[in-house]
Amino acid sequence: MREMMLKLQEAALKAIRESEDAESLEALRVRYLGKKGELTGILRQMGKLSAEERPQMGQLANQLRAELEASIEERRRELNEAKLARKMLQETVDVTLPGETPRLGHKHPMYNALDQIKDIFIALGFTIVDGPEVELSDYNFTKLNIDEGHPSREWTDTFYFDRESRVCLRTQTSPMQVHAMETQPLPIRMIAPGRVYRKDEVDATHSPMFHQIEGMVIDKGVTMSDLKATLNLVVERLYGTGTVTRFRPHHFPFTEPSCEMDIQCHKCGGKGCPTCKGEGWIEILGAGMVHPKVLAGCGIDPDVYSGWAFGMGLERLAMGEYKITDLRLIFENDVRFLEQF
């Protein structure tokens, strides 16, 4: 048995010294010192020894186990040190090289325009409200005095979720005006920015998904002159003093009287170009005095209170602010375009 242990000692120490990684070293530990290892197999034969030989062989086996464990631990330390040295060499950093400045992002031009207009209206005493993009037709149309049969309620204009046309993607943020009138105390001064959806064909100034900012004031003694003065102030703060605007009569079911507001085309200065479709003007919003039926439908007495409301396209505001000639550039996320801002 002594000879078997000596042979095991010689072979095991040689194998341990030649092991090249932690995995092979662990395999050697299991092979020689595991519960089913070679040393355990030798010790199982101690029953054949005499009573005098057993203590000697037991002591020799313990010494061999201790020697092999120490050798394995020493080899493990050597392998770990070598691994660390290789890693340090691979990850060496030349601290004398100039650093790389990280590229920082910035806000999208459309959201810059949104922040500007929020700041303007907040300074005027307005609050900002938000609401769902999936809306009931009652709020998107009926409570805004848009009756059944109106072209905007057709499937060709609006994205519906059910056959009964009861639930849709909102076509405007005007439903938030109704929600505000139903839930907020008077007087009300609010704006509602957000995404809206319409079945528009994509061109230089249209998209099936875009952003709107709706605003509304409800109070006693509110007139059309208040509307015009406020919107002219907002446009001048956005585009600069002296920005040329015009108001044109129009019709909206939820306002009476109604109008549209245009700004002179920033691209051609009013001469006519593809951006303004040759008209020299770009429509930026629709507005008007809140229809008495809308007020009454929300529980507000139209004989006591009046109000005005507007809705503008955020993308068109950004186009005017940054002299962007095609709305599609705003959504295409071309880095060459976005890096300009």
Side-chain angles (χ1 to χ4, degrees), residues 17-66:
R17 286 192 299 269
E18 294 177 353
S19 61
E20 297 182 353
D21 51 54
E23 290 76 13
S24 61
L25 186 63
E26 177 62 17
L28 290 174
R29 185 192 68 79
V30 173
R31 173 183 173 184
Y32 292 115
L33 302 178
K35 291 182 178 180
K36 297 181 180 180
E38 293 185 15
L39 180 59
T40 302
I42 294 174
L43 293 176
R44 286 173 182 165
Q45 301 179 31
M46 290 186 66
K48 301 178 182 179
L49 300 177
S50 64
E52 293 78 11
E53 292 178 316
R54 286 178 190 172
Q56 299 176 6
M57 291 300 103
Q59 182 179 6
L60 182 61
N62 289 335
Q63 292 175 350
L64 177 57
R65 179 181 292 277

Side-chain angles (χ1 to χ4, degrees), residues 17 21 39-40 98 115 153 206 224 226 262 267 302 331:
R17 286 192 299 269
D21 51 54
L39 180 59
T40 302
D115 287 344
R153 300 188 69 147
H206 292 84
M224 191 76 173
D226 298 318
D262 304 332
K267 180 69 174 178
F331 298 114

Side-chain angles (χ1 to χ4, degrees), residues 183-299:
T183 59
Q184 294 187 14
L186 296 169
I188 298 172
R189 290 173 177 81
M190 52 79 71
I191 61 170
R195 280 187 294 267
V196 298
Y197 307 85
R198 298 179 187 176
K199 291 185 178 179
D200 287 336
E201 295 296 329
V202 177
D203 61 25
T205 56
H206 292 84
S207 169
M209 187 283 293
F210 57 101
H211 296 75
Q212 261 194 349
I213 302 173
E214 301 271 345
M216 182 182 67
V217 171
I218 304 292
D219 204 345
K220 295 178 181 179
V222 175
T223 66
M224 191 76 173
S225 62
D226 298 318
L227 179 152
K228 294 181 68 175
T230 304
L231 294 182
N232 273 324
L233 174 63
V234 170
V235 168
E236 286 204 342
R237 289 191 178 179
L238 280 172
Y239 302 129
T241 303
T243 300
V244 181
T245 64
R246 73 176 184 183
F247 289 83
R248 295 179 287 105
H250 199 70
H251 169 71
F252 299 110
F254 35 85
T255 54
E256 181 60 37
S258 304
C259 65
E260 286 187 337
M261 184 181 185
D262 304 332
I263 60 170
Q264 197 173 73
C265 179
H266 54 270
K267 180 69 174 178
C268 64
K271 296 178 181 179
C273 67
T275 298
C276 62
K277 297 184 178 179
E279 296 180 2
W281 298 87
I282 296 177
E283 173 200 339
I284 62 168
L285 62 86
M289 301 301 294
V290 179
H291 199 291
K293 287 186 178 180
V294 175
L295 292 173
C298 294

Side-chain angles (χ1 to χ4, degrees), residues 107 110-128 191 193 213 230 233-234 237-238 312 314 317 322:
K107 284 186 179 180
M110 186 181 68
Y111 285 100
N112 282 332
L114 176 60
D115 287 344
Q116 289 181 47
I117 200 162
K118 281 182 177 180
D119 289 342
I120 293 170
F121 277 101
I122 288 174
L124 294 173
F126 285 67
T127 58
I128 299 172
I191 61 170
I213 302 173
T230 304
L233 174 63
V234 170
R237 289 191 178 179
L238 280 172
M312 62 176 67
L314 181 57
L317 289 177
Y322 296 103

